């Protein structure tokens, strides 16, 4: 009896409660929620935080458009100044030369007027158009991102939760959309709608409205978000906490929105961010090809298209909006990647701009 | 059909179709997960359901809970037929029977706070609200050996055993008569298993609960059960009181299950192997 094993001896006295990991003093329990942990991880990612700041600066820049237009440039985005002359340092400069060449960047020499020069033989202020165009581009990106995400989440939830024929119908519709050559079809749809407008039940959009590109972009990007969400809902639907809710008497709506949706939040946020970037590129492409934002309104895509005519003499006119698109999309992509790493370190969900989707694990169930 | 029996299951069958096809799925075969089982649980007692993985224990539980629709058979709860009831008609019965789940990691929604998880059944059934709800949830947490301060925590902050206690608190929230425990301890360490089993035992004495207790370890089941039913390949191969089944097993499969129970004394273990 020299060695009498007493397994209980190693256990802390007082039962299971004392075995609980001690809570750090002075820290409220709410600070340890999944959102707080994700925030902590995101803050540690310097690159993502840096590009988030850049994105916020871009948003502030475009939001300041009316201020700049009214108080610095004293003109509107669509106002033509073809025959006007600028008095700079005693010399007189024509906004558009008789040969049709627009004035170059004046920086602050003309008191902020034509800061980046004029845009074409129409002699519109490039800087003002850049700011208002950014508003349009970002607005289209964000609003179509919202629509896409909303539609995709609802379709994904329905398909993943009900399975069976509901899933079959939704999946086939998404497959059809997916199989279309997106840009080509988008151009065709964009051009025809831009001329004739759209009448679809209660939805009525005039031709030339920016809601046309928003509609076109939303329709075509839904599958890229709905498919992975459906996959995730399929996986979540198997979890026992869903059965527990059903065992309590919860109906489909409460299970879908009360139990499953909160677990999709991180995926939705990441996809929404990446989707905005994707949509802005799509908008730029459509607008550049004349199927997106219609003249005289500006967007960064249309500005590249206008600037392209003068690419040899005034390359900045195309380069500047191009750089703006690049910076915005880049910052959104890096912020999206950072959010994904922070919200779900295990997830492998990736949204590649128009190259197609790499499906997350488990979505092909 | 005596009043003694809280739950009576007769000829319960659950087949899962195996489907194949490109556009239209055709049924090519079936998995007979539960293939005509009958058992009963007396009020205030515990029926242990044992069997290896894939023997249909969990499917049987899920059918009794109406989480999956049985292919055929009758499930009577307090003499009332519940098989095939609509969700709406099932709603009031959900208060009377609750389930403890197998996987303490998958059975708690990671996005919800513990208080919310335990409060959900009370809210769903409209039993309590406001400060009364909070008080009841905190009482429940304390009753299962947690602290009422754990109310605002998230499941990921707890160990497996503690999570299972949260699951038990949730199952007990509605003060059910029947608790179906689907392998409540098989995902836990042996030392924690004993704590959870003892907790379930205490709760039964205190609240007069009736258990349908499922496990693959007949040693665990014997400890808690009054009666034992042994399941194998979707059928019940042996049924009787716990002592009867464990001391004098009639079926070969039951004997194998009993032989698989580890014996803590190596000398005795060796003797058994020799026999």
């Amino acid at each position: 009896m020299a060695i009498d094993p007493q397994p209980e001896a190693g256990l802390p006295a007082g039962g299971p409660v004392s075995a609980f990991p001690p809570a750090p003093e002075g820290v409220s329990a709410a600070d340890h929620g999944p959102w707080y942990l994700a925030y902590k991880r995101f803050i540690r990612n310097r690159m993502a935080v840096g590009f988030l700041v850049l994105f916020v600066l871009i948003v502030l820049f475009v939001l300041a458009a009316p201020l700049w237009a009214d108080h610095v440039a004293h003109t509107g985005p669509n106002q033509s100044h073809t025959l006007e002359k600028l008095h700079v340092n005693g010399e007189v400069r024509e906004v558009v030369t008789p040969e049709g060449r627009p004035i170059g960047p004046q920086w602050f020499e003309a008191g902020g007027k034509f800061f980046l020069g004029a845009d074409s033989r129409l002699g519109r202020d490039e800087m003002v158009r850049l700011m208002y165009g950014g508003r349009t581009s970002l607005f289209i990106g964000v609003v179509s991102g919202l629509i896409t995400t909303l539609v995709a989440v609802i379709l994904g939830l329905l398909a993943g939760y009900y399975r069976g024929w509901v899933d079959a119908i939704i999946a086939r519709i998404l497959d059809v959309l997916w199989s279309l050559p997106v840009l080509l079809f988008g151009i065709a749809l964009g051009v025809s709608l831009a001329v004739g407008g759209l009448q679809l039940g209660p939805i009525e959009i005039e031709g030339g409205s920016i809601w046309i590109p928003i509609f076109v972009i939303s329709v075509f990007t839904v599958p890229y978000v709905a498919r992975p969400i459906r996959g995730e809902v399929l996986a979540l639907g198997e979890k026992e906490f869903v059965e527990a809710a059903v065992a309590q008497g919860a109906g489909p709506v409460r299970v879908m929105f009360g139990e499953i949706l909160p677990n999709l939040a991180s995926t939705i946020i990441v996809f929404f961010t990446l989707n905005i970037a994707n949509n802005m590129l799509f908008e730029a492409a459509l607008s550049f090809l004349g199927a997106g934002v219609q003249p005289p309104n500006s967007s960064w895509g249309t500005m590249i298209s206008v600037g392209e005519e003068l690419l040899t003499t005034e390359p900045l006119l195309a380069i500047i909006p191009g750089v703006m698109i690049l910076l915005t999309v880049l910052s959104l992509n890096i912020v999206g990647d950072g959010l994904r790493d922070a919200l779900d370190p295990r997830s492998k969900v990736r949204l590649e701009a128009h190259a197609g989707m790499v499906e997350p694990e488990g979505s092909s169930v | 059909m005596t009043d003694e029996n809280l739950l009576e299951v007769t000829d319960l069958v659950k087949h899962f179709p195996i489907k194949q096809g490109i556009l239209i799925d055709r049924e090519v075969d079936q998995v007979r997960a539960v293939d005509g089982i009958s058992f009963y649980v007396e009020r205030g007692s515990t029926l242990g359901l044992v069997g290896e993985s894939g023997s249909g224990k969990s499917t049987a539980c899920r059918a009794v809970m109406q989480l999956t629709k049985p292919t055929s058979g009758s499930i009577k709860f307090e003499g009332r037929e519940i098989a095939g009831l609509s969700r709406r008609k099932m709603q009031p019965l959900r208060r009377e029977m609750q389930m403890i789940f197998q996987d303490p990691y998958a059975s708690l929604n990671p996005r919800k706070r513990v208080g919310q998880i335990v409060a959900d059944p009370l809210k769903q059934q409209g039993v309590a609200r406001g400060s009364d709800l909070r008080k009841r949830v905190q009482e429940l947490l304390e009753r299962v050996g947690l602290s009422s301060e754990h109310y605002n925590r998230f499941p990921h902050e707890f160990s497996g055993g503690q999570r299972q206690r949260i699951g038990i608190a949730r199952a007990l929230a509605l003060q059910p008569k029947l608790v179906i425990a689907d392998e409540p301890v098989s995902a836990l360490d042996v030392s924690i298993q004993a704590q959870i089993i003892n907790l379930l035992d205490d709760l039964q004495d205190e609240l007069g609960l009736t258990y349908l207790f499922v496990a693959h370890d007949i040693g665990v089941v014997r400890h808690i059960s009054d009666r034992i039913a042994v399941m194998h390949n979707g059928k019940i191969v042996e049924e009787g009181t716990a002592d009867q089944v464990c001391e004098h097993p009639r079926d070969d499969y039951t004997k194998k299950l009993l032989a698989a129970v580890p014996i803590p004394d190596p000398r005795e273990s060796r003797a058994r192997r020799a026999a």
Side-chain angles (χ1 to χ4, degrees):
Chain A
M1 292 300 275
I3 36 166
D4 190 10
Q6 281 199 314
E8 284 85 5
L11 287 173
V17 180
S18 62
F20 192 79
E25 291 299 319
V27 180
S28 85
D31 290 345
H32 292 275
W35 294 115
Y36 176 77
L37 295 176
Y39 166 77
K40 275 281 184 192
R41 280 194 293 266
F42 185 79
I43 285 296
R44 249 178 280 141
N45 187 343
R46 293 225 178 134
M47 178 129 117
V49 173
F51 275 93
L52 179 65
V53 170
L54 175 66
F55 180 70
V56 170
L57 289 177
I58 292 171
V59 171
L60 290 177
F61 171 74
V62 302
L63 285 180
L67 287 176
W68 181 274
D70 291 348
H71 299 289
V72 184
H74 302 289
T75 183
N78 300 332
Q79 205 171 329
S80 178
H81 300 275
T82 315
L83 300 172
E84 286 172 32
K85 292 180 173 63
L86 285 180
H87 302 272
V88 181
N89 302 335
E91 59 177 297
V92 177
R93 292 178 189 171
E94 287 176 304
V95 173
V96 181
T97 61
E99 299 87 58
R101 204 180 148 188
I103 198 170
Q106 299 301 300
W107 312 120
F108 284 108
E109 287 179 5
K113 280 183 181 174
F114 293 98
F115 185 80
L116 293 172
D119 77 322
S120 64
R121 66 189 70 218
L122 289 173
R124 294 174 294 197
D125 190 315
E126 177 81 353
M127 182 66 172
V128 175
R129 279 180 78 71
L130 187 72
M131 293 171 100
Y132 276 100
R135 284 187 150 202
T136 313
S137 287
L138 269 172
F139 181 78
I140 292 176
V142 171
V143 172
S144 57
L146 280 173
I147 296 174
T148 301
T149 309
L150 187 72
V151 173
V153 166
I154 290 171
L155 289 181
L157 273 174
L158 290 175
Y161 182 76
Y162 284 107
R163 306 177 184 215
W165 61 268
V166 178
D167 182 28
I169 290 173
I170 292 174
R172 288 303 89 78
I173 293 173
L174 295 180
D175 282 347
V176 168
L177 271 178
W178 206 333
S179 65
L180 294 170
V182 175
L183 199 56
L184 216 57
F185 208 82
I187 292 164
L189 199 60
V191 168
S192 62
L193 291 179
V195 175
L198 173 74
Q199 274 180 311
L200 200 78
I203 308 167
E204 201 171 318
I205 310 174
E206 271 177 56
S209 158
I210 62 163
W211 288 95
I212 299 280
I214 289 176
F215 172 78
V216 172
I217 292 167
S218 306
V219 167
F220 283 106
T221 47
V222 162
Y224 294 90
V225 185
R227 288 283 295 235
I229 285 184
R230 167 188 168 271
E232 208 166 326
V233 175
L234 278 175
L236 285 167
E238 299 279 331
K239 295 274 174 137
E240 284 178 340
F241 65 76
V242 169
E243 292 204 320
V246 175
Q248 291 159 17
V253 174
R254 214 206 97 190
V255 171
M256 274 190 279
F257 291 94
E259 301 290 329
I260 296 178
L261 189 61
N263 286 285
L264 294 174
S266 51
T267 313
I268 292 171
I269 290 171
V270 172
F271 269 110
F272 177 60
T273 317
L274 299 176
N275 192 239
I276 295 174
N278 216 15
N279 292 346
M280 287 184 67
L281 283 178
F282 201 172
E283 181 275 325
L286 284 180
S287 297
F288 179 78
L289 295 165
V293 175
Q294 296 303 311
N297 295 321
S298 68
S299 80
W300 288 339
T302 53
M303 289 179 70
I304 297 177
S305 167
V306 170
E308 185 223 4
E309 295 165 22
L310 297 161
L311 201 59
T312 46
T313 49
E314 295 287 344
L316 275 182
L317 292 181
I319 290 172
I320 288 170
V323 168
M324 292 306 291
I325 292 174
L326 176 88
L327 288 179
T328 314
V329 170
L330 185 69
S331 61
L332 280 169
N333 272 320
I334 290 174
V335 170
D337 275 358
L339 282 173
R340 184 185 57 231
D341 293 345
L343 289 165
D344 190 359
R346 287 157 301 157
S347 160
K348 294 199 174 91
V349 183
R350 251 169 220 285
L351 182 75
E352 259 114 28
H354 285 299
M357 291 294 318
V358 178
E359 287 193 43
E361 285 176 316
S363 69
S364 55
V365 180
Chain B
M1 296 288 156
T2 50
D3 204 35
E4 307 281 280
N5 295 344
L6 188 65
L7 180 73
E8 270 186 16
V9 173
T10 319
D11 294 327
L12 182 69
V13 176
K14 177 68 190 180
H15 291 174
F16 291 104
I18 301 173
K19 286 178 179 172
Q20 243 171 31
I22 301 158
L23 275 175
I24 301 146
D25 289 339
R26 274 178 311 122
E27 195 178 312
V28 288
D29 202 0
Q30 291 172 328
V31 176
R32 295 159 187 268
V34 176
D35 205 8
I37 62 167
S38 303
F39 60 84
Y40 61 91
V41 191
E42 287 168 87
R43 207 178 280 274
S45 76
T46 301
L47 174 73
L49 198 56
V50 237
E52 63 190 11
S53 307
S55 58
K57 303 163 301 195
S58 289
T59 308
C61 288
R62 296 178 69 243
V64 171
M65 280 303 289
Q66 294 292 301
L67 292 172
T68 180
K69 205 170 166 261
T71 310
S72 68
S74 140
I75 301 162
K76 284 204 166 121
F77 183 78
E78 294 194 303
R80 268 187 70 191
E81 180 63 50
I82 61 167
L85 277 190
S86 70
R87 193 177 75 79
R88 221 166 279 279
K89 288 204 173 134
M90 194 61 205
Q91 192 82 355
L93 283 163
R94 298 282 186 203
R95 274 193 213 188
E96 313 280 329
M97 48 202 282
Q98 280 292 311
M99 189 157 173
I100 300 167
F101 290 88
Q102 179 173 3
D103 182 353
Y105 291 88
S107 64
L108 306 178
N109 192 336
R111 291 281 171 196
K112 288 188 168 179
R113 291 171 197 278
V114 169
Q116 215 183 336
I117 289 170
V118 179
D120 266 346
L122 295 165
K123 273 194 275 187
Q124 178 68 36
Q125 294 281 347
V127 176
R129 59 181 61 190
S131 60
D132 181 38
L133 181 72
R134 195 186 169 99
K135 213 179 113 218
R136 283 182 74 162
V137 170
Q138 284 173 338
E139 278 168 11
L140 279 162
L141 288 176
E142 277 168 18
R143 185 61 208 82
V144 297
L146 295 168
S147 152
S148 59
E149 282 151 31
H150 296 158
Y151 188 88
N152 272 325
R153 304 233 179 178
F154 284 92
H156 71 87
E157 298 173 70
F158 293 83
S159 67
Q162 289 169 327
R163 282 159 166 258
Q164 205 53 298
R165 287 171 191 269
I166 299 167
I168 293 170
R170 170 174 64 187
L172 294 180
L174 292 168
Q175 297 171 315
K177 290 176 183 154
L178 174 68
V179 173
I180 298 177
D182 182 9
E183 306 223 24
V185 296
S186 31
L188 306 174
D189 289 348
V190 176
S191 60
I192 311 289
Q193 282 191 4
Q195 291 175 2
I196 296 293
I197 300 251
N198 289 337
L199 172 66
L200 288 172
D201 237 353
D202 293 347
L203 289 168
Q204 180 167 40
D205 293 344
E206 197 176 318
L207 305 168
L209 296 171
T210 306
Y211 286 142
L212 173 57
F213 188 95
V214 176
H216 56 248
D217 181 350
I218 199 166
V220 169
V221 170
R222 184 185 183 179
H223 179 81
I224 195 168
S225 303
D226 301 301
R227 297 171 51 77
I228 291 179
V230 182
M231 254 187 108
H232 185 46
N233 285 342
K235 291 194 165 73
I236 288 181
V237 292
E238 182 162 0
E239 200 198 343
T241 63
D243 288 339
Q244 210 179 342
V245 172
C246 293
E247 301 296 333
H248 309 287
R250 278 173 287 120
D251 191 83
D252 284 344
Y253 181 69
T254 316
K255 287 176 192 162
K256 278 190 205 160
L257 279 181
L258 284 164
V261 178
I263 298 172
D265 186 338
R267 243 170 301 168
E268 227 177 282
S269 173
R270 228 172 292 134
R272 183 173 74 177
R273 244 177 292 149

